[in-house]
Amino acid sequence: MIRKDFILQNYIGTGGNCDARAVRCHERIARWHAMSEHQLSHIPDFVSHQSQQNVAELGQTMKTLNMYYDDALGRSLKVDESGEEGGYAQGCGSDIIMGKSPVDFDGTLLTNTAQSADVAKRIIGANGMKSPTHGTAEPEMRGLYILLTLNNEGGMEVLKYSGRLCVQRPAVFYSRPVQLALSIFQAKKDHNYARFFSLLKSPSTPYLFSCIMFKYVENMRKDALTIMSKTYGAKSKTTGVAFYDDYPIKNLVHLLCYEDEEDARTACRHYGITVEGDQILWRRSKFREPKDPEKGHIIPLKPRKMMRTIEAKLEGATRLSVCRGGASGEGATLSNDSSGSDAAAAEIVRKKARDAAEEVKKVAMKQRLEAEAKARAQATMIEKKRLEQAKLEAEKRARVEAAKRAEMARMEKERVERERILAEQRRKQEDARRLAEAKLAAERAEQERQEKEAREREAARKRAEEEAKERERQRVLEKQRVEEARRQAQIRAEEERAERKRAEREEARRQAELRRKAEEQRVRKAEEEEARKIENEWLEKIEMAKKVMVWRLWRKRMRRRESFEGSLRSLECLDPTSTCYPASLREEALSITNHGLYGGSIVTRNDVDELENQMHRLATASRHPIDLSKMVAGGLGLSKSFGTHGMIYPPTVQSNKNILLFKLAVFLPKRTSRVETLHDTLRMWADSHLKIGRVSSHIFERRSPHVEIRAVAVIGNDDLAGCENCNAALFLLPSVTAASGASCQMEFPEEVEDLLDSNVPRMVLVLDDERSNGCENEITENILNCLVGAEEGLDKDSAQQRQGVSAPKICHFDYAFGMCCETLANSYFESMSEGTQIDPHVFPSLARVSLANLGFLCLQRLIQNMDAEGCFRTPALLEDFLSSCEKTLNMMTVELIHVSNDVHQKMQNWPPLEFLEEGTNSIPMLFEGQFDLPSNWHLPLPDLERKVSDVFHPLLEREIFAIIVENFSQELPPRLGENLLIMLDNDEFSGCFANIVSLFANGELVTATTGKETIVYLPVERMSQIIEQAAVYEAPPAPEPVLKEIPSYLFQNTVHAEEEEEKSCGERNTDKTQPRDKIIVNKRKPPDAVEPETPYNERSKRIRSNAPAE
């Protein structure tokens, strides 16, 4: 209504009134409409009915502002002298609103003081009135108008409007808001959704610009999903593998400015795009827009209100501040000197803009004329077609029969012609095939002739070289004879030393074999003794269980009799005239016993019975046992350290990364005569929870691969030696009161001290009957200090405050037991180390690899180090290469022996015996490929040097290596086998050896063994250390350059040759038909030049059979 009132008062710009006050008022109206377009987008009624009306009102306001800005008299920045410039200021000239403070739609009182933080940012106010623009923002409004008309006339309106601005108002055209609006227009026109949403969420994009851009978010998101569905997920023509099939949905949220992942999933479901978990599968998706089944129109997907992207740009500004320009951003108004200096500075720009505008006009005129001509031609063609159609309709009936007969004749003729053409094509194809075969045969004959000539030339050259080598050999033969005697002496000495070393190795091998047999005998006897011990313990347990059952039956009957006798005695002492009941005889006897007989704090046997009865009730109650493996899987899911190595294993190495073993040891107080029954009851209670000795299994499903967890719980008191390899320990500690004064006998086995010295996670569950006194709490604290360590600053009356200790009430014993097990499982993963140290209490990351494959991995690493040093890019001696390989294998043997001894010393008690499979004495399917882990995996390998020599010594012999390559080349692809044979023919031994090592290391070739393959089990970190330390390579120092003086006669011949060259060039210029003269320079061989010495057997060829293959 306010805008219409201005129109009624003839405020229309050119031809009417125009004033800065009217401009400011319309700008505030435009800001209100632009702001409402996004802030009310969460209201369904506004989106479906009122949004279109709001955009129409905004468009009318923007058209009125364009008329004000284009005023011929330039009055949009001027104010009537009777207004604000007349000595008073109100309305737009004030920082506050007159009257009551404004209230927001939700009842919030808006800030209406001149001391607000955003007053300085506002365009309308006291500061704005002081500027030359008088609080108007022409660049901002021009930019909003461009954004509002992006789709008008297919974008032509924006081009015309910006062209007129560039010519008439260059200062406004090159302002920041207008250029930003043109950038948004270009991004939308090019369907560049990444650029569009990047500008939308950019902090430099003003808030009102983002509100107008919200109108185009739906179409831009639809265009983006259409392009991505056609681009991503396409299959390769050769491999058939999809490109970029998996696309994280969080990337789509960031790219297309969705509010959250659920908003993105809703959009994907709307357009038929498949989403699984947090990944988008483009290959299984087909973009489609849903349609209404009844009406048939496309169902749109209106975007949610973008709080995270658009509303966050307000930074606390209210609607009052937005309407007054507080969120308009930098460059919303013209600068102070834009009206004066820009006219002179932008003259060149204006001229170019005029030329561009004229060019645009010419193109538009040309397009209009072409469209008119095309329309006239189409009208003429339509009229002509109508006349022809009428004529054809008249003649159609007369030609029907003739057409049918002609059609039949034409079809017969076409059939005959097709048969003739097919016969001609077959004849041509046959001629072409015969011609190609003849051409191929001729080329093959020519190639064979050229190869034969090349072989003859090569044979002649080799014969010449051999003759020269023979002469040189005869010259150096005498020198070699002199040195032969010295070498023979050295060889004999070396043979004697080698014989001594071989005898020493044989003796060491014999001693190791004797030790191994003795160790096997000891292990067999220990296993037999352990079996007998277990059988005797089970017999003792059965006998003890019988005694406990008999004692409980007797105790139950005795309690009934004692209760009956106590009731009789109490009734006899009852005085009918008294109102106070006397204490029972049982309580008096207890008081006398506690204070009169022994003194101090002594508790009767009934306290032990009370806790024992409670524990027996809990042990015999029905419950679901704890799934320890599933509990460990929960701790594994919370762990951040386990499984984060990301190591990629070679194909020849099998790891145990998919298996996890966990052993929990439950320790009870030492079984004595005073707590014998309580000990058995606690054992029964623990077995009812954990199923002692039974291995449970659970599959923990990660994204890839899955992890199998095997867990077992044991009673630590039964096998104290076997607890050295447990992963966690739980101590059950009855309170001192429950022990009936037997605190001196309440102790744990002595072997527990070794377990406490390690870093094994452990907890203590205090089983208190809630009747302990101060002295007894002090004794309990002393026991806890020994088990979990002393802590300062704790209350002595509460063990619950201590870390690693749980002291629940009797009613919570079962729940506390389960929570202790869960806490121990989580603590185990937190305490796992990432280093290379070996600990029997931590599940090791093992690798299974054959001895031959380990050697090939070391050689492969050595070749990589040599290649990094540039050894394969320069000629090197074969002896140096072979010596480096032999040194690497020797170093690998030494390091492997050292690591095997270290592992045997520290891990000889791992794995736990509970996980071994009966009959095989190994852990089944621990490694990838369903391989087992034997129980004696940690034993050092005997005769390691001989085994390494048997595998790799033939490869280091040149002649044997050539035979091996010929045998393996038949198993390889033809191309690869041929390349290896060519390398041998060209004397490229190092390159061929590197390729063979790579094939063995990658598992493409397998070594043939006559007996059982030697398998090595090592921690992964130690295996990597062996490979790196064995493959160390030090490049030999580069030889120093040798400087030699060149004889002077070589320079003289060169000068003469240059003079004759110049003369011959002059003659060729005079007579171009004459042939070019050849300059022959006779150079004498320097007297000191000596041909390099080449050993006779340096290039020995491999012997290959010439017999044809069958």
Side-chain angles (χ1 to χ4, degrees), residues 288-299:
R288 60 179 181 275
E289 298 185 57
K291 294 184 178 181
D292 191 290
E294 298 179 356
K295 300 181 180 180
H297 62 78
I298 296 176
I299 301 175

Side-chain angles (χ1 to χ4, degrees), residues 22 57 82 172 243 281 319 472 504 517 532 534 687 694 696 731-732 749 785 817 821 825 921 954 972 1090:
E57 291 294 330
S82 62
V172 177
F243 295 109
L281 304 180
R319 292 183 175 87
E472 183 63 23
E504 292 175 357
K517 291 181 179 180
R532 287 193 299 272
I534 293 173
D687 183 68
R694 182 180 302 176
S696 60
F731 295 89
L732 301 182
N785 290 339
F817 189 91
C821 295
N921 200 21
L972 296 173
V1090 180

Side-chain angles (χ1 to χ4, degrees), residues 36-91:
S36 301
E37 187 62 24
H38 180 262
Q39 289 197 358
L40 301 179
S41 61
H42 64 285
I43 303 175
D45 291 338
F46 175 82
V47 175
S48 58
H49 301 94
Q50 302 174 9
S51 176
Q52 186 175 1
Q53 181 181 359
N54 182 65
V55 173
E57 291 294 330
L58 176 59
Q60 295 297 330
T61 305
M62 299 304 298
K63 289 182 179 179
T64 305
L65 281 173
N66 284 330
M67 292 191 299
Y68 289 161
Y69 296 145
D70 297 335
D71 181 48
L73 301 178
R75 294 173 293 174
S76 61
L77 300 180
K78 298 180 181 180
V79 181
D80 189 6
E81 294 182 356
S82 62
E84 287 94 290
E85 304 295 335
Y88 64 92
Q90 59 180 353

Side-chain angles (χ1 to χ4, degrees), residues 925-1087:
M925 295 183 294
L926 185 68
F927 295 99
E928 298 173 339
Q930 309 297 325
F931 290 105
D932 300 344
L933 176 67
S935 59
N936 59 346
W937 66 275
H938 51 78
L939 294 178
L941 295 176
D943 202 7
L944 197 58
E945 295 181 356
R946 182 186 60 80
K947 294 179 180 179
V948 173
S949 177
D950 293 343
V951 175
F952 294 99
H953 180 72
L955 294 177
L956 300 179
E957 294 292 337
R958 184 165 183 173
E959 291 76 8
I960 302 177
F961 178 76
I963 298 173
I964 293 174
V965 172
E966 287 185 358
N967 295 333
F968 280 119
S969 62
Q970 300 176 1
E971 303 176 4
L972 296 173
R975 181 86 178 211
L976 181 56
E978 184 179 355
N979 291 338
L980 293 176
L981 296 177
I982 291 174
M983 287 183 181
L984 288 180
D985 289 340
N986 295 335
D987 201 21
E988 298 177 2
F989 180 83
S990 301
C992 184
F993 187 83
N995 288 332
I996 290 295
V997 168
S998 178
L999 292 174
F1000 276 108
N1002 295 331
E1004 300 181 27
L1005 290 178
V1006 181
T1007 57
T1009 56
T1010 57
K1012 185 178 180 181
E1013 187 178 15
T1014 304
I1015 302 298
V1016 180
Y1017 301 93
L1018 293 172
V1020 175
E1021 294 83 0
R1022 293 300 181 90
M1023 184 187 70
S1024 301
Q1025 288 181 359
I1026 291 174
I1027 295 174
E1028 293 297 332
Q1029 293 178 4
V1032 174
Y1033 175 74
E1034 296 181 359
E1040 297 181 358
V1042 179
L1043 302 178
K1044 197 169 184 179
E1045 185 178 359
I1046 300 176
S1048 60
Y1049 60 84
L1050 294 178
F1051 292 99
Q1052 295 175 1
N1053 292 336
T1054 304
V1055 173
H1056 295 325
E1058 292 177 354
E1059 292 177 355
E1060 294 186 11
E1061 178 73 16
E1062 293 176 357
K1063 292 179 181 180
S1064 62
C1065 290
E1067 294 176 358
R1068 283 196 301 271
N1069 293 333
T1070 57
D1071 188 6
K1072 296 184 179 180
T1073 60
Q1074 298 179 0
R1076 178 178 296 181
D1077 296 336
K1078 297 183 179 180
I1079 302 173
I1080 300 176
V1081 181
N1082 296 325
K1083 297 182 180 180
R1084 293 185 302 168
K1085 186 176 181 180

Side-chain angles (χ1 to χ4, degrees), residues 626-883:
I626 297 175
D627 192 348
L628 187 59
S629 60
K630 188 174 182 181
M631 188 174 292
V632 175
L636 176 61
L638 300 175
S639 174
K640 297 182 180 179
S641 61
F642 183 82
T644 58
H645 299 287
M647 179 178 293
I648 300 176
Y649 298 95
T652 56
V653 178
Q654 296 85 33
S655 67
N656 63 340
K657 61 182 180 180
N658 298 335
I659 301 293
L660 177 64
L661 305 181
F662 182 83
K663 179 179 178 180
L664 173 65
V666 181
F667 288 93
L668 307 177
K670 193 173 181 180
R671 184 169 183 171
T672 60
S673 58
R674 302 292 297 274
V675 293
E676 180 178 1
T677 308
L678 180 61
H679 177 93
D680 296 337
T681 305
L682 292 178
R683 176 189 293 271
M684 187 186 307
W685 181 57
D687 183 68
S688 65
H689 279 282
L690 293 175
K691 298 299 179 183
I692 301 299
R694 182 180 302 176
V695 179
S696 60
S697 178
H698 180 76
I699 302 297
F700 176 67
E701 297 183 356
R702 285 191 169 184
R703 191 175 289 176
S704 178
H706 300 330
V707 179
E708 180 183 359
I709 295 147
R710 303 175 188 173
V712 67
V714 299
I715 299 297
N717 304 58
D718 296 342
D719 185 11
L720 296 174
C723 295
E724 296 180 1
N725 51 21
C726 66
N727 303 113
L730 176 61
F731 295 89
L732 301 182
L733 176 62
S735 65
V736 177
T737 302
S740 180
S743 60
C744 58
Q745 287 82 14
M746 184 64 64
E747 59 184 6
F748 288 90
E750 298 177 355
E751 289 79 2
V752 175
E753 297 180 0
D754 298 335
L755 185 65
L756 297 179
D757 294 337
S758 62
N759 295 326
V760 177
R762 53 185 177 271
M763 284 197 67
V764 179
L765 179 58
V766 180
L767 305 175
D768 194 356
D769 59 357
E770 304 177 5
R771 293 180 297 172
S772 59
N773 53 34
C775 178
E776 294 156 356
N777 284 338
E778 184 177 356
I779 298 174
T780 303
E781 289 294 330
N782 293 334
I783 298 176
L784 292 178
N785 290 339
C786 297
L787 294 178
V788 297
E791 294 187 11
E792 299 180 357
L794 294 179
D795 187 5
K796 295 182 179 180
D797 298 334
S798 178
Q800 188 66 31
Q801 301 177 2
R802 184 188 294 271
Q803 185 177 4
V805 177
S806 177
K809 296 181 179 179
I810 294 179
C811 58
H812 297 155
F813 277 3
D814 290 335
Y815 175 75
F817 189 91
M819 292 304 298
C820 288
C821 295
E822 184 176 357
T823 304
L824 288 173
N826 297 336
S827 301
Y828 168 68
F829 291 106
E830 294 176 0
S831 63
M832 289 182 66
S833 60
E834 295 287 345
T836 59
Q837 62 180 0
I838 301 175
D839 191 351
H841 298 287
V842 179
F843 180 74
S845 179
L846 296 179
R848 180 186 182 275
V849 61
S850 65
L851 182 61
N853 290 332
L854 181 60
F856 284 118
L857 290 176
C858 294
L859 292 177
Q860 186 184 36
R861 185 57 179 167
L862 171 66
I863 292 171
Q864 293 174 357
N865 294 338
M866 295 177 68
D867 188 24
E869 294 292 338
C871 295
F872 293 99
R873 294 189 294 271
T874 58
L877 294 178
L878 180 61
E879 290 75 9
D880 295 340
F881 178 77
L882 295 178
S883 63

